[in-house]
């Protein structure tokens, strides 16, 4: 149990959710939430400009844990005391990565990836869509991306490189995944009211799937996404960035020969630095050529998507913490 409490206290503490969202996620009703807050000071939400309570992911997980404790017979006062003891020891990391999402194996569907690969390589798209539809309904987006689609694509890429699957097979799989990811971006877009993120590939760069995955995971965290896609030209980009006023520009480069194009974009972003604009980048080129990482004026997010998303999310908070609580983008620096 101590382990569990320690994990809870280490979750991100950024206020984002209103009380309605908390009730939905925790199944604890409003009067109980207020009673716990008044009597025990837990949870301890911050207030929006309009005085409404705003809860963090940590608050939500703490509420779920308190509910579980009371259901298992522990007095609420004891559960709160345990929480306080752990907090007071100070033995808590400030902002570590959130706990990993469940894997397909954890969730009782270990062979889903093999089934989806089989469906796609036999061009049974009907079956492939059914499998993904079911996965979308059952799993968080992170599991879908990080445990189903990403490893499947990497596997197909390797099989193609070894000549085990042909180019057409690889295209069926890549296009299917691309379309499904873009569809998910559209579904989640209306719920994103955080800072703006512009995502694109360096000039001439066509490999975009890693970037779409990253974009989707950022959108999940509330970022408002403007997706520019493959081979973004630097022409007119400076003016576009001023108009859009994003917090981050995230670029992807898979092939080392496209690095000069990224440098061109980096220079444009640099010239807008007083607008608190930050360039982030990643992609296979930096995995294959680690020496290139420090050469771009910007922040290398790493090639691990899960870590990259946590890092980028933190950057947004550093740039302008208030933006998380704004409903519209009136921000212009
Ligand atoms: C699909 C694919 C294509 C598709 C891309 C379709 C699309 N809409 O994206 C198409 C057909 C267009 C294509 C074209 C080409 N391709 Co190609 N392609 C691939 C393939 C099979 C899969 C790439 C992929 O999507 N992987 C899945 C994603 C999830 O992984 P990822 O790209 O590595 O990204 C990861 C991280 O880098 C990170 N990431 C990526 N971007 C970003 C951005 C941010 C901000 C963050 C945080 C993270 C992040 O996220 C991912 C996590 O694992 C790979 C094979 C392979 N082994 O990867 C070859 C591969 C990348 N292609 C290659 C080549 C050579 C080409 C072509 C030159 C082929 C040709 N002769 O025409 C052209 C070049 C096109 C161009 N100008 O860019 C080579 C590249 C070699 C190199 N590094 O120099 C590879 C490695 C194949 C090989 N073994 O030779 N390709």
């Amino acid at each position: 149990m101590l382990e569990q409490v320690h994990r809870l206290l280490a979750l991100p503490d950024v206020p984002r959710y209103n009380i309605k969202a908390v009730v939905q996620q925790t199944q604890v009703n409003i009067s109980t939430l207020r009673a716990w807050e008044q009597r025990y000071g837990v949870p301890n939400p911050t207030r929006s400009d309009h005085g409404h309570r705003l809860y963090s992911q940590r608050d939500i997980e703490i509420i779920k844990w308190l509910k579980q404790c009371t259901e298992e017979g522990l007095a609420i006062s004891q559960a709160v005391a345990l929480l306080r003891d752990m907090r007071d020891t100070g033995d808590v990391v400030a902002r570590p990565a959130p706990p990993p999402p469940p894997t397909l194996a954890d969730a009782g569907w270990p062979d889903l990836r093999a089934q989806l690969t089989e469906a796609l390589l036999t061009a049974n798209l009907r079956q492939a869509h059914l499998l993904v539809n079911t996965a979308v309904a059952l799993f968080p987006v992170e599991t879908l991306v990080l445990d189903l689609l990403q490893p499947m694509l990497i596997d197909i890429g390797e099989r193609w490189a070894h000549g085990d699957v042909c180019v057409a097979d690889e295209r069926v799989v890549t296009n299917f995944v691309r379309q499904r990811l873009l569809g998910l971006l559209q579904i989640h877009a209306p719920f994103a009211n955080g800072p703006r993120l512009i995502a694109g590939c360096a000039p001439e760069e066509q490999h975009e799937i890693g970037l779409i995955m990253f974009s989707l995971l950022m959108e999940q965290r509330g970022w408002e996404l403007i997706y520019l896609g493959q081979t973004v030209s630097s022409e007119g980009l400076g003016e576009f960035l001023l108009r859009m006023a994003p917090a981050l520009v995230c670029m992807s480069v898979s092939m080392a020969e496209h690095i000069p194009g990224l440098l061109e974009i980096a220079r444009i972003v640099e010239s807008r630095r007083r607008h608190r604009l930050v360039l982030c980048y990643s992609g296979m080129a930096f995995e294959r050529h680690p020496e290139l990482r420090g050469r771009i004026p910007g922040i290398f997010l790493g090639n691990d998507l899960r870590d990259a998303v946590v890092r980028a999310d933190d950057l947004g908070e550093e740039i302008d913490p208030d933006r998380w609580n704004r409903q519209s983008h009136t921000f212009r620096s």
Side-chain angles (χ1 to χ4, degrees):
M1 185 181 263
L2 289 181
E3 178 91 356
Q4 211 180 357
V5 176
H6 195 278
R7 190 181 59 76
L8 285 178
L9 291 173
L11 284 169
D13 200 20
V14 186
R16 283 182 193 167
Y17 305 95
N18 65 22
I19 199 159
K20 209 169 146 198
V22 175
V23 169
Q24 265 171 7
Q25 285 196 47
T26 61
Q27 303 298 316
V28 174
N29 62 39
I30 290 183
S31 49
T32 306
L33 286 176
R34 287 191 180 142
W36 285 353
E37 191 186 333
Q38 271 171 10
R39 281 184 216 151
Y40 308 107
V42 179
N44 186 16
T46 45
R47 299 274 174 165
S48 71
D49 293 347
H50 303 293
H52 301 305
R53 287 174 173 80
L54 280 178
Y55 296 81
S56 65
Q57 192 61 45
R58 183 194 300 180
D59 290 327
I60 291 179
E61 295 307 319
I62 285 176
I63 294 164
K64 284 186 192 165
W65 179 77
L66 289 173
K67 179 174 180 247
Q68 185 196 335
C69 286
T70 55
E71 284 168 357
E72 286 169 4
L74 195 70
I76 179 76
S77 54
Q78 285 174 306
V80 171
L82 183 60
L83 203 61
R84 288 232 165 85
D85 284 349
M86 289 294 287
R87 191 179 289 166
D88 293 346
T89 60
D91 184 23
V92 173
V93 190
R95 284 190 53 78
T103 62
L104 296 173
D106 290 343
W109 204 350
D111 52 351
L112 174 59
R113 203 185 305 147
Q115 287 175 21
L116 182 60
T117 309
E118 166 71 15
L120 287 170
L121 290 180
T122 52
N124 188 348
L125 295 182
R126 190 183 139 83
Q127 172 70 359
H129 279 298
L130 276 174
L131 289 168
V132 174
N133 289 354
T134 314
V136 167
L138 290 180
F139 306 121
V141 168
E142 280 184 319
T143 303
L144 188 82
V145 168
L146 300 174
D147 204 33
L148 178 61
L149 302 179
Q150 183 186 350
M152 181 179 75
L153 273 182
I154 290 170
D155 177 46
I156 292 292
E158 277 163 16
R159 285 162 74 172
W160 169 74
H162 290 112
D164 299 337
V165 298
C166 69
V167 172
D169 285 325
E170 175 272 302
R171 295 289 154 86
V172 169
V173 179
T174 310
N175 283 322
F176 175 88
V177 171
R178 179 177 175 276
Q179 284 163 20
R180 291 300 312 222
L181 289 170
L182 291 176
L184 286 169
L185 279 182
Q186 288 159 13
I187 289 173
H188 292 283
F191 307 103
N193 60 0
R196 265 193 185 158
L197 165 78
I198 290 188
C201 299
E204 311 300 326
E205 181 61 68
Q206 291 180 14
H207 300 95
E208 64 173 332
I209 309 282
L211 183 75
I212 305 179
M213 289 177 172
F214 169 76
S215 301
L216 178 59
L217 296 175
M218 290 299 284
E219 199 178 68
Q220 277 288 295
R221 288 180 167 240
W223 284 72
E224 185 197 0
L225 174 73
I226 299 180
Y227 185 68
L228 302 184
Q230 296 167 308
T231 176
V232 172
S233 162
S234 55
E235 194 196 324
L237 188 65
E239 194 273 327
F240 177 78
L241 293 177
L242 279 185
R243 255 190 300 130
M244 294 299 140
L248 297 183
V249 176
C250 294
M251 302 296 298
S252 178
V253 188
S254 289
M255 299 176 62
E257 50 261 56
H258 300 146
I259 295 284
L262 176 63
L263 273 169
E264 222 177 287
I265 297 213
R267 276 192 284 271
I268 293 171
V269 175
E270 268 293 283
S271 66
R272 267 85 190 160
R273 246 194 118 66
R274 67 192 167 84
H275 298 276
R276 288 194 281 178
L277 181 59
V278 174
L279 175 80
C280 299
Y281 59 91
S282 185
M284 191 194 281
F286 302 98
E287 208 165 34
R288 292 192 168 199
H289 304 277
E291 74 283 1
L292 294 174
R293 290 177 191 175
R295 299 214 191 136
I296 318 290
I299 296 170
F300 173 60
L301 289 176
N303 287 103
D304 181 279
L305 275 182
R306 186 180 295 142
D307 293 347
V309 166
V310 173
R311 176 87 181 98
D313 205 17
D314 284 352
L315 281 172
E317 250 183 274
E318 283 166 28
I319 295 168
D320 186 352
D322 293 344
R323 268 202 257 194
W324 279 113
N325 300 328
R326 290 191 202 150
Q327 293 300 308
S328 62
H329 287 275
T330 49
F331 169 82
R332 295 282 185 282
S333 58

